[in-house]
Amino acid sequence: MADETQQCALAPDGEAVRALTHDPALVGPRADCVRCGDPTELPADHPGITLCPVCAWQEAQRIACSG
């Protein structure tokens, strides 16, 4: 059972954590952030939306604590 006192939680898909975590095993050119154009921590062939650490942090805050 989930902790009912918890008010903020990360998105279940874990994309915010991946975007903020540098993984030296990921090689190749880095993808550009779809919002600001800065380089991300993810390779260019990573599927889905790629966000830089700043945009990922802002998105995680926006969706985690909405009330």
Side-chain angles (χ1 to χ4, degrees), residues 15 18 26 31 42-50:
E15 281 297 316
R18 271 193 292 279
L26 299 175
L42 301 168
D45 62 354
H46 180 76
I49 296 173
T50 55

Side-chain angles (χ1 to χ4, degrees), residues 1-16:
M1 183 168 169
D3 182 7
E4 295 184 21
T5 61
Q6 182 179 4
Q7 295 179 353
C8 301
L10 288 174
D13 63 4
E15 281 297 316

Side-chain angles (χ1 to χ4, degrees), residues 40-60:
T40 68
E41 293 293 333
L42 301 168
D45 62 354
H46 180 76
I49 296 173
T50 55
L51 298 173
C52 70
V54 173
C55 290
W57 179 261
Q58 291 170 348
E59 179 70 9

